[in-house]
Amino acid sequence: NVFKDTSSLKLISIPCHVSKFSLGINNSAKILRFSDEAVAIFNYAYEFQYGTSVSMDKSEAVKYYKMAIDKGDASAMSNYGHMLETGDGVEVNKSEAVKYYKMSADKGYNWAMNNYANKLFYGEGIAVNKSEAIKYYKMAAEKGNKEAIEKLKTLQKWRNFNTVFYAILIWHTILYFGSVHFKKRLII
């Protein structure tokens, strides 16, 4: 994608948390050329969201995130979801945030998988579904997401603790009541 008027073209390299891409922009801040259009637009939106190399402008960030989302960029879906979740430049809308996290997660973005799992686990913007949450935590962990790995470790510790605690509770109950009939019912 190249516009005919390149007289005011400036080539800049924008650092961001995803990677570096070169964007061509003109004086009216329009994107002129790039190798991966969706990622370049995402990077541009990110710059507006955090004001790292352009003036911070949340409405411009939203505009460019939506453009990148239309082109299928998973990072843009996740970042826009985060903006919706936290009210960063937009009105808080947790159910809409969940929708964007899910879209991004289904495209394989591990941060969105972890965020979507959190929403499912705690019931924020969506009904609680712990088994589905664990599925997404595992998917994120398989892609190296450290937060998901830690969450799964914590859940495993609690599962082990609860299993031991439940077994102790049963045996203390049996000892307290001393009933053979009660013992048989618990073991079955």
Side-chain angles (χ1 to χ4, degrees):
N1 293 337
V2 179
F3 292 129
K4 291 182 181 180
D5 177 21
T6 58
S7 60
S8 60
L9 177 66
K10 292 186 266 180
L11 195 58
I12 61 170
S13 204
I14 295 178
C16 92
H17 72 286
V18 175
S19 61
K20 289 185 178 182
F21 285 86
S22 292
L23 303 178
I25 60 173
N26 67 11
N27 291 335
S28 61
K30 299 293 181 193
I31 297 173
L32 291 177
R33 58 181 156 182
F34 25 78
S35 55
D36 184 340
E37 188 174 23
V39 175
I41 295 169
F42 162 79
N43 285 338
Y44 201 51
Y46 183 89
E47 293 305 308
F48 278 116
Q49 183 180 2
Y50 295 103
T52 51
S53 65
V54 296
S55 295
M56 186 182 299
D57 186 336
K58 303 296 182 167
S59 62
E60 285 294 295
V62 168
K63 176 177 128 184
Y64 285 104
Y65 277 140
K66 286 181 177 181
M67 286 173 60
I69 289 166
D70 289 343
K71 296 189 178 296
D73 187 80
S75 297
M77 293 169 192
S78 182
N79 280 28
Y80 182 58
H82 185 71
M83 289 179 84
L84 289 165
E85 177 186 358
T86 61
D88 184 15
V90 296
E91 190 173 321
V92 172
N93 188 333
K94 296 204 184 241
S95 61
E96 195 70 7
V98 168
K99 175 182 133 184
Y100 283 97
Y101 285 146
K102 172 88 166 78
M103 287 169 43
S104 180
D106 289 346
K107 288 184 145 295
Y109 189 52
N110 75 69
W111 281 105
M113 290 173 185
N114 184 67
N115 289 340
Y116 182 63
N118 283 333
K119 301 304 149 213
L120 287 165
F121 194 83
Y122 297 107
E124 296 173 356
I126 193 169
V128 171
N129 186 336
K130 300 217 180 201
S131 61
E132 188 74 0
I134 290 169
K135 174 183 146 187
Y136 276 90
Y137 281 132
K138 286 179 180 178
M139 289 167 48
E142 287 170 2
K143 290 189 167 269
N145 185 285
K146 290 179 181 9
E147 287 182 20
I149 292 167
E150 289 305 311
K151 182 67 173 186
L152 288 171
K153 285 180 185 176
T154 301
L155 290 173
Q156 186 60 44
K157 286 177 189 174
W158 275 105
R159 184 186 322 188
N160 293 343
F161 172 79
N162 286 339
T163 302
V164 170
F165 179 77
Y166 183 67
I168 292 169
L169 180 65
I170 289 171
W171 286 111
H172 277 269
T173 305
I174 290 170
L175 290 173
Y176 179 76
F177 288 106
S179 166
V180 174
H181 176 71
F182 186 70
K183 288 179 190 175
K184 286 181 182 177
R185 289 184 66 187
L186 282 177
I187 294 171
I188 295 172

